[in-house]
DNA sequence: GAACGTCTCGTGTCTCGCTA
DNA sequence: TAGCGAGACACGAGACGTTC
């Protein structure tokens, strides 16, 4: 089977297909499904289960509760593409819980965690079926075969999708606090390791205004590493994270110029901030707009991206 | 042995430069 | 011009090494 490697599963060979970023749209040529907030994973199933991360690492030992996936999948040897998620509050995927799971190395702790916060494999594509490479086949055909091959149950679900009504679906997902939507061309083949416009990642982006309280110098060709952000909480500045992307060389020069005009001040937060290597603290006079995916439980920004200075805003606002 | 700091590894975005 | 890879950056938290 698997042709190219003499009948064995192509373990650690397939890189997952990637998506480009996009905006909500409606098209009869696309299907729309929930974008799950978890670890991208390929599951190799051939009388056992092997889980491979996006970077081709074997993450099977970290999720023992998924070892039995192969019992629920027919037409083996088979390879599923999907996402490992850990349900959090209200059943929504919790990325922080998943990270806590993924970092465990002690087998005892892994077993305990598997009982307390069990992971679920959300399957959304079928790449090999009965040992045959079906990646060149169109997505709608692979989706059909996925429905036939997989018996959903504990720890294994099939990602449902809708046809057309992409904007309505996106709005509904946003209301439910989900990360976003994936739009996939019905006729698209699976392009391993490639980032293709056949798949579009439409994320629910949040935006806010934050006070620039300092910065870190960059390395390599960059002069500005990251801006250090804060907001006022009960009259005191609170740390909200750093943003190190979203500005090009021109904006970087302009920001550095503005920062150099400000007086250097002592650290504005009551306690030292972990993770800051070479902070330069400045007067909290500049306000900037930042897009971000979500906030961590302690109020820090996840995946922040700088969008511009707000000359019209005062820090106190 | 406790506390602290650094490294590692998972996820991601974005810009820049090279190549087809 | 589009696609792709490299190299910046972000987050959390366990593992591990060092210091006291």
């Amino acid at each position: 089977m698997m042709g190219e490697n003499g009948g064995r599963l192509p373990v650690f060979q397939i890189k997952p297909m990637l998506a480009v970023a996009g905006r909500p749209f409606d098209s009869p040529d696309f299907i729309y499904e929930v974008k799950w907030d978890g670890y991208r994973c390929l599951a190799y199933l051939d009388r056992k289960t092997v889980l491979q991360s996006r970077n081709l690492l074997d993450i099977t030992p970290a999720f023992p509760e998924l070892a039995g996936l192969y019992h629920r999948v027919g037409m083996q040897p088979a390879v599923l593409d999907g996402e490992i998620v850990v349900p959090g509050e209200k059943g929504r995927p919790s990325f922080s819980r998943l990270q806590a799971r993924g970092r465990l190395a002690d087998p005892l702790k892994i077993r305990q965690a598997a009982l307390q916060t069990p992971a679920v494999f959300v399957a959304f594509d079928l790449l090999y079926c009965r040992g045959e490479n079906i990646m060149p086949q169109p997505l709608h055909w692979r989706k059909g075969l996925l429905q036939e091959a997989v018996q959903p149950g504990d720890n294994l679900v099939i990602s449902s999708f809708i046809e057309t009504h992409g904007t309505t679906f996106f709005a509904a997902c946003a209301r439910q606090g989900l990360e976003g939507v994936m739009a996939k061309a019905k006729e698209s083949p699976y392009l391993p390791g490639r980032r293709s416009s056949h798949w579009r990642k439409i994320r629910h982006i949040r935006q806010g205004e934050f006070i620039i309280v300092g910065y870190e110098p960059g390395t390599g060709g960059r002069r500005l590493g990251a801006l250090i952000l804060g907001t006022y909480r009960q009259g005191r500045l609170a740390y909200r994270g750093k943003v190190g992307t979203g500005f090009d060389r021109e904006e970087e020069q302009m920001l550095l110029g503005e920062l150099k005009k400000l007086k250097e001040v002592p650290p504005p937060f009551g306690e030292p901030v972990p993770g800051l290597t070479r902070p330069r603290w400045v007067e909290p006079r500049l306000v900037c707009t930042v897009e971000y995916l979500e906030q961590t439980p302690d109020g820090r920004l996840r995946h922040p991206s700088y969008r511009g200075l707000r000359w019209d805003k005062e820090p106190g606002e």
Side-chain angles (χ1 to χ4, degrees):
Chain A
M1 78 123 221
M2 303 295 171
E4 56 272 53
N5 66 350
R8 288 177 315 205
L9 277 164
V11 177
F12 307 123
Q13 287 186 355
I14 306 174
K15 280 196 163 187
M17 180 171 170
L18 305 173
V20 298
R23 302 250 166 219
F25 66 97
D26 292 303
S27 168
D29 299 328
F30 280 74
I31 61 108
Y32 303 89
E33 59 191 354
V34 169
K35 184 183 185 313
W36 299 98
D37 194 12
Y39 283 176
R40 185 72 179 278
C41 177
L42 295 186
Y44 298 86
L45 308 159
D46 186 10
R47 288 168 292 170
K48 65 172 184 172
T49 303
V50 176
L51 304 172
Q52 175 200 287
S53 76
R54 191 180 124 156
N55 293 345
L56 310 184
L57 298 173
D58 182 0
I59 55 172
T60 316
F63 300 97
E65 68 272 42
L66 302 181
L69 289 190
Y70 72 96
H71 289 303
R72 295 194 163 274
V73 179
M75 306 183 191
Q76 292 184 29
V79 180
L80 298 178
D81 189 3
E83 198 94 2
I84 294 176
V85 300
V86 171
E89 289 173 22
K90 299 179 185 173
R92 288 197 292 262
S94 166
F95 191 69
S96 54
R97 284 190 187 182
L98 177 64
Q99 280 194 312
R101 284 290 316 271
R103 294 289 149 271
L104 294 173
D106 183 334
L108 184 62
K109 288 182 182 174
I110 290 173
R111 282 199 297 275
Q112 286 173 342
L115 292 172
Q116 288 163 0
T117 53
V120 175
F121 186 89
V122 183
F124 51 69
D125 213 330
L126 183 62
L127 314 186
Y128 273 78
C129 175
R130 293 197 180 96
E132 185 184 345
N133 179 4
I134 60 169
M135 290 188 278
Q137 301 294 334
L139 173 69
H140 63 85
W141 190 87
R142 302 197 308 272
K143 284 277 193 189
L145 209 54
L146 176 71
Q147 295 282 344
E148 288 179 35
V150 172
Q151 276 193 313
D154 293 341
N155 304 115
L156 177 60
V157 300
I158 298 175
S159 178
S160 55
F161 61 90
I162 64 160
E163 301 186 44
T164 69
H165 303 105
T167 51
T168 308
F169 186 56
F170 175 77
C173 289
R175 276 196 300 277
Q176 299 216 0
L178 295 166
E179 189 189 353
V181 164
M182 293 294 295
K184 298 176 179 176
K186 290 177 185 172
E187 296 298 324
S188 67
Y190 191 94
L191 305 170
R194 295 267 307 277
R195 192 179 296 279
S196 162
S197 57
H198 289 314
W199 285 18
R200 300 185 195 173
K201 178 170 42 184
I202 305 162
R203 312 185 83 177
H204 179 218
I205 298 295
R206 296 162 175 86
Q207 187 171 300
E209 274 127 29
F210 300 89
I211 305 162
I212 301 173
V213 297
Y215 65 99
E216 288 190 305
T219 55
R222 287 179 54 155
R223 294 178 61 206
L224 175 62
L227 299 170
I228 305 171
L229 306 175
T231 51
Y232 280 109
R233 279 182 183 160
Q234 294 157 351
R236 295 181 61 185
L237 272 172
Y239 179 62
R240 301 299 300 277
K242 298 191 283 186
V243 56
T245 191
F247 38 78
D248 56 19
R249 292 286 189 267
E250 194 179 331
E251 189 78 7
E252 185 184 326
Q253 289 286 348
M254 185 276 293
L255 279 169
L256 270 174
E258 292 301 320
L259 289 164
K260 296 256 165 84
K261 288 180 194 167
L262 300 174
K263 263 197 295 192
E264 294 215 12
V265 297
F269 308 120
E271 50 206 45
V273 178
L276 297 181
T277 48
R278 293 177 295 161
R280 309 269 172 87
W281 305 105
V282 296
E283 293 174 286
R285 283 175 169 271
L286 296 174
V287 177
C288 66
T289 300
V290 173
E291 285 185 351
Y292 58 96
L293 193 58
E294 64 175 7
Q295 295 186 30
T296 62
D298 58 357
R300 296 193 190 184
L301 308 182
R302 239 188 99 202
H303 297 165
S305 176
Y306 171 86
R307 282 292 168 267
L309 282 180
R310 290 298 302 259
W311 301 103
D312 56 326
K313 294 260 180 172
E314 290 291 325
E317 292 181 60

